[in-house]
Amino acid sequence: MDLSYSAEDEAFRSEVRQWLGDNLSGDFAGVRGLGGTGRENEAHDERLAWDRHLAEHGWTCIGWPQEYGGRGLPLFQQVIFHEEYARADAPRRVNHFGEELIGPTLIAFGSAEQKQRFLPKIVAVEELWCQGYSEPGAGSDLANVSTKARLDGDEWVVDGQKIWTSLAQFADWCFVIARSEPGSTRHQGLSFLLVPMHQDGVDVRPIEQLTGDSEFNEVFFTAARTGKDLVVGAPGDGWSVAMGLLGYERGVSTIGQQVGFARELEKVVALAKDNGSYDDPLIRDRIVQARMGLDVMRLNALRTLSADEPGPGDASVSKLVWANWHRALGELAMAVAGPAGLLVESADPYRVSRLQSLFLFSRADTIYGGSNEVQRNIIAERVLGLPREPKG
Ligand SMILES: Cc1cc2nc3c(=O)[nH]c(=O)nc-3n(C[C@H](O)[C@H](O)[C@H](O)COP(=O)(O)OP(=O)(O)OC[C@H]3O[C@@H](n4cnc5c(N)ncnc54)[C@H](O)[C@@H]3O)c2cc1C
């Protein structure tokens, strides 16, 4: 298996590095490092302006086919872009849900009109999206959603509650899974709807987190409306669309993040050298373990990318490994900080340090995008061929 980059890929890397170096300057010099783990609310307007600048220069949706406004770049070059992006300490992107999730889903499942209506505005970062899957009674068990949708003339009317809806406070649109066939159960009778957020029937209530940030929200739909044609796939067949989208969530979009992780580890090591904890053999051992974990993740990502077809469970293995690695990094950061890790930077207004934020937010890594237990179930059933979990 050849894990090296081609000369063409290396030339592409130089081009990306040069462009980012040239453009993260002047008006955008201050955006470096903004956003990120536990700090999604940070400098949203500045990051939005940066994302639009990327779009103007053709650096959004680089993996999408050219006919939909992308560059149609091969997977390795997409990874290179993400690596260089993180290496340059460029800010966290604001339209993950549009570019990485709903865009590819519309390309695969959307009607010609839906593609024409939505894709250009995702490429240009003119409309932001959020994901309305989870509900108080439906998380891992997504088929249990109780949000309802019914047709009223030319419109769908949506009623129900979503929760943990990341970045809903900035979103223009939400993709919602709702039960559209009364009396249906489980995977049947669900529809995948595109719902505008700016209307009276949508109420977004931020949930304040331990980091002090309000990255996610409760979203209430009360007779919210959307067009009859804004259902993706056939009405009642939303489950297959919803699962198709999760394939993107657990797939390519998480590759290439290791450079960002390496940067965080460097900060932890710098603190350890600064406060003397680097001399503690137990701390050094954990730092070595973390470095090795990074190498394992990188080799595993390259192995997966080199395969002709992704294997069943590849995305679950990758999610399980990075989520646990990252959570352990947060714990290591606090061990390195020692008693100082218990003190917030400011009590009023409440503000925690970047490493505290890393520790607190990384507790969620093993939950969102499919929890550890759910990933293990997938690996057990689809990779190891163990008996399927009994369903009640
Ligand atoms: C930071 C963050 C951001 C999020 N953003 C979004 C978002 O933008 N949009 C959205 O729709 N959702 C979002 N979520 C929700 C996320 O998808 C759910 O939290 C996740 O699917 C788990 O669901 P739950 O919280 O209802 O927990 P539950 O499903 O109730 O799980 C509780 C516990 O039981 C375990 N468990 C559940 N089922 C099984 C099983 N079959 N076998 C073994 N163990 C099991 C779980 O692993 C977990 O430990 C976000 C969550 C977080 C933490």
Side-chain angles (χ1 to χ4, degrees):
M1 187 185 301
D2 182 9
L3 294 178
S4 56
Y5 290 106
S6 67
E8 200 183 330
D9 289 342
E10 290 301 347
F12 177 75
R13 185 184 295 282
S14 302
E15 181 195 341
V16 175
R17 192 172 290 184
Q18 174 87 38
W19 191 88
L20 288 169
D22 291 348
N23 284 269
L24 282 166
S25 60
D27 286 351
F28 292 115
V31 298
R32 278 185 199 258
L34 292 177
T37 306
R39 293 180 288 114
E40 286 289 352
N41 276 349
E42 187 175 74
H44 184 264
D45 291 349
E46 290 86 339
R47 288 162 51 215
L48 179 64
W50 165 251
D51 266 32
R52 288 181 174 161
H53 182 71
L54 286 174
E56 279 164 26
H57 292 83
W59 291 116
T60 54
C61 306
I62 54 174
W64 291 16
Q66 289 178 349
E67 62 178 306
Y68 300 124
R71 286 197 178 192
L73 292 182
L75 215 47
F76 266 95
Q77 294 191 0
Q78 295 174 48
V79 172
I80 287 171
F81 177 79
H82 288 301
E83 285 181 341
E84 289 303 320
Y85 192 87
R87 188 166 286 131
D89 206 15
R92 177 70 64 100
R93 305 284 295 280
V94 297
N95 200 14
H96 166 78
F97 290 105
E99 175 164 340
E100 307 282 0
L101 299 181
I102 189 65
T105 304
L106 288 174
I107 289 172
F109 298 95
S111 67
E113 292 74 24
Q114 289 166 353
K115 288 176 188 167
Q116 205 175 12
R117 160 68 185 82
F118 292 109
L119 297 181
K121 293 201 184 280
I122 294 174
V123 175
V125 204
E126 281 172 20
E127 287 177 343
L128 304 184
W129 286 80
C130 63
Q131 176 177 23
Y133 275 28
S134 304
E135 298 183 2
S140 307
D141 188 14
L142 196 55
N144 206 32
V145 293
S146 59
T147 292
K148 293 186 175 44
R150 64 181 167 82
L151 269 178
D152 177 25
D154 281 344
E155 290 185 317
W156 291 99
V157 181
V158 183
D159 285 282
Q161 183 199 345
K162 298 291 175 180
I163 194 164
W164 320 130
T165 321
S166 298
L167 309 179
Q169 68 272 46
F170 302 119
D172 303 294
W173 287 86
C174 184
F175 46 94
V176 173
I177 307 179
R179 195 160 291 289
S180 55
E181 292 175 6
S184 64
T185 55
R186 308 297 303 161
H187 313 93
Q188 271 86 42
L190 300 170
S191 291
F192 190 104
L193 300 173
L194 311 176
V195 180
M197 294 292 282
H198 305 299
Q199 58 170 309
D200 289 345
V202 177
D203 182 17
V204 176
R205 299 184 199 165
I207 300 174
E208 192 171 335
Q209 293 159 238
L210 277 170
T211 53
D213 205 9
S214 302
E215 183 255 1
F216 55 37
N217 307 266
E218 293 177 292
V219 178
F220 293 83
F221 296 98
T222 311
R225 290 185 170 256
T226 194
K228 184 180 177 183
D229 54 339
L230 295 186
V231 56
V232 183
D237 192 26
W239 185 255
S240 53
V241 181
M243 290 302 104
L245 181 139
L246 285 185
Y248 301 115
E249 180 168 34
R250 292 170 188 170
V252 182
S253 60
T254 56
I255 299 175
Q257 66 190 357
Q258 287 116 9
V259 177
F261 287 172
R263 182 182 297 282
E264 288 176 335
L265 176 57
E266 276 165 24
K267 287 189 179 133
V268 173
V269 173
L271 176 64
K273 287 185 174 163
D274 196 45
N275 72 7
S277 57
Y278 198 67
D279 297 331
D280 177 341
L282 295 178
I283 293 284
R284 286 166 82 107
D285 187 51
R286 286 169 72 176
I287 289 172
V288 170
Q289 293 291 335
R291 282 250 160 81
M292 288 183 340
L294 270 180
D295 284 344
V296 168
M297 282 190 280
R298 181 170 171 73
L299 289 172
N300 188 49
L302 290 172
R303 182 182 63 85
T304 313
L305 285 173
S306 303
D308 292 337
E309 289 270 312
D314 272 358
S316 292
V317 170
S318 151
K319 166 81 210 303
L320 198 57
V321 171
W322 78 250
N324 287 291
W325 184 91
H326 202 225
R327 189 178 60 178
L329 179 70
E331 290 164 1
L332 173 59
M334 290 303 97
V336 164
L342 294 170
L343 300 176
V344 293
E345 275 191 351
S346 157
D348 190 14
Y350 176 73
R351 196 175 61 241
V352 298
S353 72
R354 295 227 161 166
L355 290 184
Q356 287 168 328
S357 182
L358 163 70
F359 167 68
L360 292 169
F361 195 85
S362 61
R363 312 306 296 172
D365 287 340
T366 55
I367 301 171
Y368 66 80
S371 70
N372 267 1
E373 290 76 14
V374 166
Q375 304 299 353
R376 288 195 179 101
N377 281 347
I378 294 171
I379 294 166
E381 293 173 10
R382 297 193 202 152
V383 184
L384 303 177
L386 295 177
R388 289 187 75 80
E389 182 187 19
K391 297 277 181 210

